[in-house]
Amino acid sequence: IPTLTLLYKLNHLAPPSPTVSTPPPSKAYNDKIALIRHDITKLKLDSIVNAANESLLGGGGVDGAIHRGAGPNLLRECEGLNGCETGSAKITGAYELPCKKVIHAVGPIYIITKRVGRHTSLLQSCYRTSLQLAVDNGMKSIAFSALSTGVYGYPSDEAAAAAIGAVRRFLDEGKGDTLDKIVFCNFMEKDEDAYLETLPRFFPPV
Ligand code: AR6
């Protein structure tokens, strides 16, 4: 039933934006970009990005780890947010976590959104919305979990290209000037491998 609901909603979204080709690699932002493999809940950065679902009321994977680490007050705050649409994000306090804020992004379920050609734009929209929320809330650093690559089934290589491309575009548009660090925080080796392969296409090693 949740699957049918999501499909219904997606059919009523705006048509997909034209595909954006990969820009030539740029070292200009290399000091801002970091790739690590770590438990994101342990990071002492300004903000971390959770791979949430539309209810924003917790779940498994990184979402479960973040709620466990933050304690029950995070759920209390999330209960007041009235959920979040796929492709968007909302920001909360971090409570007992070492970061200052948690950005809850709702990535697309791969198999459903691919059917309607919205998987890439929805995943990229999560990254863009999260970056904008970080900037708007005075965050200097942000760490992304690999949104949608767990339970939501997004293939690691495609997800990495969409994520890194979205970050690169945000920076190219001059919207991320106040951010000092943008961290891609992977947990599984398969995702780290995809990032190691894909990052140089957008941000070549110095
Ligand atoms: N730190 C960093 N990354 C992690 C951690 C961690 N502690 N734990 C897992 N990951 P997933 P999704 C990685 O399944 O695919 C939840 O139930 C993991 O290896 O957490 O977006 C939500 O409530 C993977 O690369 O999120 C939703 O219902 C990435 O985090 C649904 O899952 C995302 O995997 C969202 O599915």
Side-chain angles (χ1 to χ4, degrees), residues 118-130:
R118 299 299 320 274
H119 54 303
T120 313
S121 58
L122 286 169
L123 188 59
Q124 292 198 313
S125 171
C126 286
Y127 282 85
R128 293 180 64 81
T129 311
S130 299

Side-chain angles (χ1 to χ4, degrees), residues 5-85:
T5 311
L6 183 60
L7 195 57
Y8 174 81
K9 275 193 188 166
L10 289 168
N11 287 336
H12 290 76
L13 289 172
S17 53
T19 314
V20 180
S21 56
T22 308
S26 170
K27 294 182 181 178
Y29 315 109
N30 274 19
D31 54 340
K32 280 193 204 252
I33 303 293
L35 176 62
I36 58 167
R37 192 160 154 224
H38 212 276
D39 177 354
I40 201 166
T41 65
K42 306 287 186 246
L43 299 183
K44 205 176 167 195
L45 290 166
D46 282 358
S47 57
I48 64 170
V49 183
N50 182 18
N53 59 58
E54 287 193 341
S55 78
L56 295 185
L57 299 179
V62 68
D63 198 5
I66 285 174
H67 275 271
R68 275 194 302 279
N73 286 328
L74 176 59
L75 182 57
R76 244 161 254 152
E77 184 176 352
C78 285
E79 281 168 350
L81 295 179
N82 199 24
C84 179
E85 283 184 10

Side-chain angles (χ1 to χ4, degrees), residues 77-204:
E77 184 176 352
C78 285
E79 281 168 350
L81 295 179
N82 199 24
C84 179
E85 283 184 10
T86 297
S88 194
K90 291 189 178 177
I91 191 165
T92 67
Y95 301 96
E96 291 163 46
L97 291 169
C99 57
K100 293 180 189 160
K101 296 277 187 190
V102 177
I103 296 168
H104 306 265
V106 184
I109 299 174
Y110 185 74
I111 194 164
I112 296 172
T113 53
K114 190 176 164 69
R115 239 180 261 148
V116 289
R118 299 299 320 274
H119 54 303
T120 313
S121 58
L122 286 169
L123 188 59
Q124 292 198 313
S125 171
C126 286
Y127 282 85
R128 293 180 64 81
T129 311
S130 299
L131 288 164
Q132 194 61 57
L133 274 173
V135 168
D136 292 347
N137 285 274
M139 304 285 103
K140 297 279 178 223
S141 53
I142 179 169
F144 284 98
S145 59
L147 306 174
S148 286
T149 62
V151 176
Y152 280 1
Y154 214 115
S156 300
D157 52 348
E158 278 184 53
I164 300 166
V167 169
R168 169 73 194 275
R169 187 138 53 97
F170 191 83
L171 294 174
D172 280 345
E173 290 167 1
K175 294 178 177 167
D177 292 350
T178 59
L179 293 169
D180 295 336
K181 254 326 159 224
I182 300 170
V183 180
F184 295 107
C185 178
N186 290 130
F187 200 58
M188 310 270 283
E189 196 174 4
K190 69 173 176 75
D191 297 305
E192 186 180 45
D193 287 348
Y195 272 82
L196 286 170
E197 176 97 15
T198 310
L199 258 177
R201 273 173 41 205
F202 295 88
F203 306 103

